[in-house]
Amino acid sequence: MPKRIITEVNSWFKRDTIVRNLEFFQDIIVISLCVGLFCVMLIRLADMFLSFLTPLDLRQVTSDILFILILVELFRLLVDYLQERSISVGAAVEITIVSALREVILRGVLEIPRDQIFGISVFLLVLAGIMIVLPWISHYFEIAESPNIKH
């Protein structure tokens, strides 16, 4: 009896069709983000090579390289999302670590106030903790999802 009711409700709302259409529009959004990221990467890469024509500012070149690497990782994260329909927490944490370190390198450790250095340090420690704990958590979820293993 309950299966018949669920089938009728599904047919009223055509939930499968709605979900399929929403996933299609979500894919369009992610693909447009990928195209935008790719264009920004090309523009930043061209700017970086054009900056080599003037006297070299090592801090700016380092910042550009790290920014392009962050964009590449974000691009990879979006492509993985399109393929797997899930976000890799490890990749997102890696991108966040590189982004935080880029800001420190860009501004210089001596120019950042002590409170911000402390906050960035705690933030990086938490991210490192996530990276360390992540394999154990994923292993736990694999065990929990496995129907053959008793706990």
Side-chain angles (χ1 to χ4, degrees):
M1 181 75 172
K3 287 185 179 183
R4 189 176 64 112
I5 294 172
I6 291 172
T7 310
E8 287 180 26
V9 170
N10 281 341
S11 67
W12 289 341
F13 292 107
K14 299 194 187 305
R15 191 177 317 174
D16 295 334
T17 305
I18 293 171
V19 169
R20 217 173 323 115
N21 289 333
L22 288 175
E23 286 179 348
F24 174 74
F25 287 119
Q26 187 176 16
D27 287 347
I28 290 173
I29 292 170
V30 172
I31 289 169
S32 64
L33 285 173
C34 286
V35 169
L37 274 174
F38 191 75
C39 292
V40 170
M41 281 189 284
L42 290 177
I43 291 169
R44 292 299 293 220
L45 198 61
D47 286 343
M48 186 180 71
F49 284 126
L50 288 176
S51 72
F52 290 152
L53 299 176
T54 61
L56 191 62
D57 181 14
L58 188 59
R59 184 180 281 183
Q60 185 62 37
V61 171
T62 305
S63 170
D64 287 343
I65 290 171
L66 287 173
F67 185 67
I68 291 170
L69 288 174
I70 291 167
L71 292 178
V72 166
E73 288 298 316
L74 283 172
F75 185 81
R76 183 179 63 91
L77 188 69
L78 289 173
V79 169
D80 286 346
Y81 174 77
L82 283 173
Q83 291 174 344
E84 303 292 328
R85 295 277 186 224
S86 65
I87 295 289
S88 168
V89 175
V93 170
E94 289 172 6
I95 293 168
T96 308
I97 290 171
V98 173
S99 299
L101 291 176
R102 176 190 175 265
E103 291 302 315
V104 171
I105 291 170
L106 183 63
R107 291 176 52 193
V109 176
L110 298 177
E111 297 173 9
I112 301 175
R114 185 174 1 136
D115 295 340
Q116 286 184 357
I117 290 288
F118 179 72
I120 291 170
S121 300
V122 169
F123 181 64
L124 289 174
L125 284 173
V126 169
L127 291 174
I130 290 172
M131 288 295 291
I132 291 170
V133 172
L134 194 62
W136 291 323
I137 291 174
S138 63
H139 178 69
Y140 173 75
F141 283 126
E142 287 174 4
I143 291 174
E145 290 177 357
S146 179
N148 298 333
I149 299 175
K150 294 183 181 179
H151 303 297

